[in-house]
Amino acid sequence: LTMLVGVVQFSGYALMRAFGARAGMALGGFLGGLVSSTAVFISLASALRMNPAAKSAAFAGALLSIAAMTLELLLILAGASLPLFKQMLPVCAASAGTGILIAMAFNRSGSPAHAQNGRPLDWKALIKLTILIFGMLAAVEAARRTVGAEAVQIISFLSGLFEVHGVSLATAVVFSEGKMELKDALLSLKLALLATYASKHLILWTTLPARAALQMSACLFC
């Protein structure tokens, strides 16, 4: 995840230099969401420090990363289990559609922002992130050992804090093999999605100023 954040930071810098802050951040957010929407949200603070005038564009990119993550989840379910895909389609389509509409509104309402010269990588932020990730992984592992691997729903939630696609694919495969009931599989998927949104709120409130965090949190609740 630390390496992914570095890649997202560098890619966002390159896209802003190539296409301008508004289009570059939007495109970088969507493409980054296909890899790791968590990495996009973690990179949001450094993007705002590098170009404070591009707050609306940065917010749009973060929301587009959520839309990309959700659309990719639908593709995974379509390939692994059509029954789960059909059940999750309304929720995921509504989430992705709402995120895209709000992102478009941010991009249109924001003042024109220009790409500024800055560092393509924020090394201090990456070092802090590495320490944070180590602590979070240690907490998850402690929970796994305490609760037990048989607690599928809890494991789905804990896994979703970091990355939703892997646990969703695993759930879909187990369900398609007849080893899990439909209601249990749907609950696991929804818990993983809930966890990924919870982690985004945590990232926002620990890395952004209160006003910016409140704005983005309100958008995520929508």
Side-chain angles (χ1 to χ4, degrees), residues 1 38 136 140 155-164 191-192 194-200 202-203:
L1 183 57
T38 301
M136 293 178 71
V140 169
I155 298 303
S156 295
F157 182 85
L158 293 175
S159 300
L161 292 172
F162 301 99
E163 192 268 330
V164 71
L191 283 174
L194 176 64
T196 196
Y197 275 96
S199 68
K200 302 298 187 295
L202 178 62
I203 291 169

Side-chain angles (χ1 to χ4, degrees), residues 130-213:
T130 302
I131 298 172
L132 175 63
I133 291 174
F134 180 83
M136 293 178 71
L137 287 174
V140 169
E141 181 60 21
R144 286 177 186 268
R145 291 176 180 272
T146 302
V147 178
E150 69 279 5
V152 177
Q153 314 300 351
I154 296 178
I155 298 303
S156 295
F157 182 85
L158 293 175
S159 300
L161 292 172
F162 301 99
E163 192 268 330
V164 71
H165 295 135
V167 66
S168 299
L169 176 60
T171 299
V173 169
V174 171
F175 169 76
S176 66
E177 293 176 347
K179 299 177 181 179
M180 183 182 291
E181 297 292 333
L182 177 61
K183 61 181 180 62
D184 294 329
L186 287 174
L187 180 58
S188 293
L189 292 173
K190 292 176 181 179
L191 283 174
L193 280 175
L194 176 64
T196 196
Y197 275 96
S199 68
K200 302 298 187 295
H201 285 289
L202 178 62
I203 291 169
L204 291 174
W205 285 99
T206 54
T207 60
L208 296 182
R211 183 176 179 180

Side-chain angles (χ1 to χ4, degrees), residues 94-132:
S95 175
T98 302
I100 291 172
L101 289 176
I102 298 177
M104 291 174 61
F106 266 122
N107 246 357
R108 290 179 179 178
S109 64
S111 57
H114 304 284
Q116 298 180 354
N117 293 323
R119 294 175 297 174
L121 289 175
D122 188 341
W123 292 107
K124 290 183 179 180
L126 288 178
I127 293 172
K128 291 178 181 179
L129 172 63
T130 302
I131 298 172
L132 175 63

